[in-house]
Amino acid sequence: MKGLLWLFVLAALAVALSLVLRAGGGYALFVLPPWRAEVSLNFLAILVVVGFALLYLLVRAFWHTLRLPSHVRAFRRRRKEEAGHEATLGAIQALFEGRFVRAEKLASKAIDLGATPGLAGLLAARAAQRLRDFARRDQWLEQSRQGGGDWHVAQAMTRAELLLDERRYDEARSVLRELHASGPKHVAGLFLMLRAEQGLANPEEVLRIASALEKHDAMPPEALDSVRVNARVALLSRAPQDAHGLQRQWDATPRSDRVRPKVAATAARAFIQLGDCRKAHRIIEDALDRGWDATLALLYGECVDRDALERLERAEKWLKERPGETELLLTLGRLCVQRELWGKAQSYLEASVATRPTREAHIALARLHERLGRTVDAARHFRESADLSPNASG
């Protein structure tokens, strides 16, 4: 349709031009003594138009000739940029495909071609990391830094991540702290900082970062709870080995964390080691009232103290709610032994073995039979406990 329209326009112009030329009867006279020339005005108009067109073409050809070197340079530059861009995309694809040697070669080619040396250096560094060539990785990171461009954050994040993969936690933390000091923190940086502090076993910092991640809603609640629990366990495990120091650490633990089974078990064991069985029992009771845990149920019967009868009554109430619980039956048997209720202890321990045989239950029965002078039964249970694998322990 467009071509047809142009055809009509050209035809109209040709008709108009023919009418103008036909109507024009004038002429032009040129005198240059001793010569004299007379030409048709129409012919003169055609000569002027043709002459102007030829002059324009000559000037344009001359101008293009003068600019030819710059055009060649621009063409070569475009070809180089296209090749560099293609090499960069190839390096990214190879890195995701797991072809790390090819990824590093293509990234090196992209750098030689001058295509985003900051990005290409980071790609080469990641490839060298996966090839376990850490010296070359550091060289690529340095080359990426010298490449210029707005790649400061990306370079710092990549360096920190690669250092963490190499378990160089202290260096990674230094890089991240320098990055956070120069600008606002972001979630990805907090994740890396969390890994660094976990690797350096700094539970206080782990808890602080976990709170920051919670504000950003950056982690699933279950994962965040696991991080906090492990940090609380570490704090309680390294608490001063005296009653006052341990109590201060326990008092500093939030109520919501105290009833976590792992936290409660760690604190209870620490108080048991210091001889404060009553405190350990209260901790276990609070945690079990919040939610059942087999490890805590077993720990409830380990420490011998004068509150055995009180614990026995409480454990029997738990048994009504959870009949047939192997660990609870074993704990009840141990508590009956502490109160010298031999018949009741034997019933609970045998019920525990019948529900699920464990080494602890067999050993408890063997020792009970020893105290009652039943050496044959004691030897049998010792043999049965030895036949069970450690994984069968309660």
Side-chain angles (χ1 to χ4, degrees), residues 62-79:
F62 179 73
W63 178 249
H64 276 288
T65 302
L66 292 177
R67 296 190 60 190
L68 184 60
S70 63
H71 284 304
V72 172
R73 287 194 297 270
F75 173 75
R76 290 177 177 175
R77 184 171 60 253
R78 287 195 302 271
R79 290 292 301 273

Side-chain angles (χ1 to χ4, degrees), residues 70-247:
S70 63
H71 284 304
V72 172
R73 287 194 297 270
F75 173 75
R76 290 177 177 175
R77 184 171 60 253
R78 287 195 302 271
R79 290 292 301 273
K80 185 177 180 181
E81 290 175 355
E82 291 173 358
H85 181 67
E86 184 178 352
T88 302
L89 291 180
I92 294 173
Q93 181 178 354
L95 188 64
F96 279 107
E97 290 175 350
R99 302 162 65 187
F100 304 118
V101 174
R102 175 174 172 79
E104 187 176 4
K105 287 182 178 179
L106 287 173
S108 177
K109 179 181 177 181
I111 292 175
D112 293 339
L113 292 172
T116 56
L119 172 60
L122 296 180
L123 294 172
R126 286 188 175 276
Q129 172 87 3
R130 300 302 295 270
L131 294 171
R132 309 296 295 173
D133 192 333
F134 303 121
R136 200 161 68 244
R137 175 206 64 189
D138 292 338
Q139 292 175 0
W140 287 124
L141 287 173
E142 181 62 24
Q143 192 161 352
S144 172
R145 188 182 66 82
Q146 295 176 356
D150 190 16
W151 291 93
H152 170 66
V153 175
Q155 289 157 1
M157 292 287 289
T158 301
R159 178 181 288 276
E161 183 179 351
L162 298 182
L163 288 172
L164 287 173
D165 290 343
E166 200 183 345
R167 299 179 183 272
R168 294 162 63 178
Y169 300 114
D170 194 30
E171 296 177 54
R173 182 178 63 178
S174 299
V175 172
L176 290 169
R177 284 182 174 177
E178 181 180 352
L179 174 63
H180 290 164
S182 61
K185 300 180 181 180
H186 52 87
V187 174
L190 289 175
F191 272 115
L192 294 181
M193 184 65 82
L194 179 64
R195 287 180 56 191
E197 297 297 350
Q198 286 176 325
L200 292 169
N202 291 329
E204 296 91 348
E205 285 298 307
V206 169
L207 290 172
R208 184 185 63 79
I209 297 171
S211 298
L213 288 171
E214 184 180 25
K215 293 178 181 178
H216 289 87
D217 194 21
M219 287 182 69
E222 299 79 7
L224 201 60
D225 287 344
S226 177
V227 169
R228 281 176 168 163
V229 165
N230 291 333
R232 292 295 177 187
V233 167
L235 284 172
L236 289 168
S237 299
R238 66 170 60 175
Q241 297 301 311
D242 61 84
H244 295 293
L246 181 59
Q247 185 63 50

Side-chain angles (χ1 to χ4, degrees), residues 300-311:
Y300 194 57
E302 287 186 5
C303 191
V304 179
D305 196 70
R306 287 175 294 178
D307 65 345
L309 181 58
E310 179 184 342
R311 282 185 287 152

Side-chain angles (χ1 to χ4, degrees), residues 266-329:
T266 302
R269 289 192 182 97
F271 280 108
I272 288 173
Q273 289 178 356
L274 294 176
D276 193 349
C277 292
R278 294 290 180 92
K279 182 65 177 179
H281 297 156
R282 300 292 86 79
I283 292 172
I284 295 172
E285 288 167 1
D286 290 342
L288 288 178
D289 288 340
R290 179 70 177 269
W292 186 257
D293 182 75
T295 302
L296 288 175
L298 278 177
L299 194 60
Y300 194 57
E302 287 186 5
C303 191
V304 179
D305 196 70
R306 287 175 294 178
D307 65 345
L309 181 58
E310 179 184 342
R311 282 185 287 152
L312 180 60
E313 293 174 353
R314 182 183 287 269
E316 286 177 336
K317 291 180 181 178
W318 288 337
L319 186 63
K320 292 179 181 179
E321 300 172 359
R322 310 183 69 85
E325 191 74 35
T326 303
E327 292 80 11
L328 184 54
L329 289 168

